Amino acid sequence: MVIVKTWLLVQTKRLRLRRYCLHVSVLLCTLATATTAAEDYVVHSFERQQLTDVYYSEGVNVGDINNDGKQDVVHGPYWFEGPKFEKKFEIYPAQAQPRQRYADSFFSWVYDFDGDGRRDVLAVGFPGTPAYVYQSPGPSGWDQPWEKYPIIDSVANESPHFVDLVGDEQPEVVCTNDGRVGYATINQSDPLSTWTFHAVSESIAPKR
C-alpha cells in the first residue's frame, strides 16, 4: 500500500512538472512571436492634404479621369487632378451644401460607361432621387459642365453599391427602388440611356 501511494505521488509530481514545462514553453513561444511581430512592425506615416473647405458631398471616390496614369479624386461637383490635387475641374455647377443636413450628393463612381476610352462619373444623390451618369468631355471640355444622363429614376437607400454582382464583367448599381431590393444593369446597346432594374424582393424597403 505504501509502495502504491509513493508511486502515485511520484507520478503526480511528474505530471505537474510536465504541465509547468508546457506552460513555460507556451509562454516562451508567445514572447518570441510577440518580439518577432514587434520587430516586423513598421509605422507608416501619412500626410494630410485638404482639397477644399467647402461641403459638397457625403462621399468621395478616386479614378484616373484624364488618362495620365495617376489617380484623381472626385468630390461632388469637382474632380481634383492627381497626384498633386491642386487643380480642380467642375463636372456640374457647384453648390455648397448646408453643414446642418445631408448633402444633395452622396456617392460618385468613376467608370468608362460609353466605351470611348474616357472615364465618366456616376453620381447618386439623396435617397429617393435619380442617379446620373456625367459623360466625360475629354481635355477639350474640362472647362465646361459635362453632359448629364439619367439612368435610374430612384436610388432609395443610403448605401448603394457599384459592383459586378452578376459576373458579367460590368458593374451594377445595387440598391432599392420603389421599396424593392435589387440591382440595375447597364443598357448594353445604349449605356447612357435608362438602365434596367431587377428586383430580388417584393416591396419591403421604405419607398421614397
Side-chain angles (χ1 to χ4, degrees):
M1 188 69 176
V2 174
I3 296 175
V4 173
K5 288 184 178 180
T6 304
W7 183 85
L8 289 174
L9 181 60
V10 170
Q11 295 303 316
T12 302
K13 288 183 178 181
R14 286 180 178 177
L15 181 59
R16 288 176 180 174
L17 181 60
R18 288 176 183 174
R19 288 178 178 175
Y20 172 77
C21 292
L22 178 61
H23 290 162
V24 171
S25 299
V26 171
L27 178 60
L28 291 175
C29 289
T30 303
L31 290 175
T33 304
T35 302
T36 302
E39 292 174 351
D40 294 342
Y41 185 75
V42 178
V43 177
H44 298 277
S45 60
F46 294 84
E47 293 183 6
R48 181 178 181 271
Q49 181 177 351
Q50 182 172 309
L51 304 188
T52 179
D53 61 355
V54 181
Y55 172 47
Y56 289 112
S57 176
E58 299 288 331
V60 64
N61 217 324
V62 296
D64 183 11
I65 289 181
N66 55 0
N67 287 334
D68 65 351
K70 305 293 190 302
Q71 293 295 299
D72 308 303
V73 170
V74 177
H75 174 63
Y78 288 108
W79 70 274
F80 297 80
E81 184 179 37
K84 293 185 177 181
F85 309 109
E86 295 172 351
K87 294 181 180 179
K88 67 179 180 181
F89 301 88
E90 198 173 73
I91 300 172
Y92 56 86
Q95 183 176 356
Q97 301 294 297
R99 295 180 182 272
Q100 297 77 18
R101 65 171 178 81
Y102 290 117
D104 291 339
S105 169
F106 264 52
F107 296 95
S108 298
W109 292 278
V110 180
Y111 187 79
D112 181 12
F113 291 97
D114 54 5
D116 64 356
R118 297 192 293 259
R119 293 174 181 84
D120 313 298
V121 173
L122 166 61
V124 173
F126 191 84
T129 61
Y132 298 95
V133 166
Y134 290 89
Q135 186 182 32
S136 172
S140 61
W142 291 153
D143 60 346
Q144 57 188 347
W146 298 15
E147 289 289 334
K148 175 181 177 182
Y149 298 88
I151 50 111
I152 307 174
D153 61 349
S154 173
V155 175
N157 59 313
E158 290 189 15
S159 300
H161 289 270
F162 187 56
V163 62
D164 181 8
L165 180 68
V166 300
D168 60 354
E169 298 185 355
Q170 282 196 324
E172 292 81 36
V173 174
V174 182
C175 62
T176 62
N177 178 279
D178 193 29
R180 303 165 299 166
V181 178
Y183 59 95
T185 54
I186 300 173
N187 186 337
Q188 300 291 346
S189 60
D190 187 2
L192 301 180
S193 65
T194 302
W195 295 9
T196 302
F197 183 78
H198 307 266
V200 298
S201 78
E202 298 179 354
S203 184
I204 58 174
K207 294 184 179 181
R208 310 188 192 196

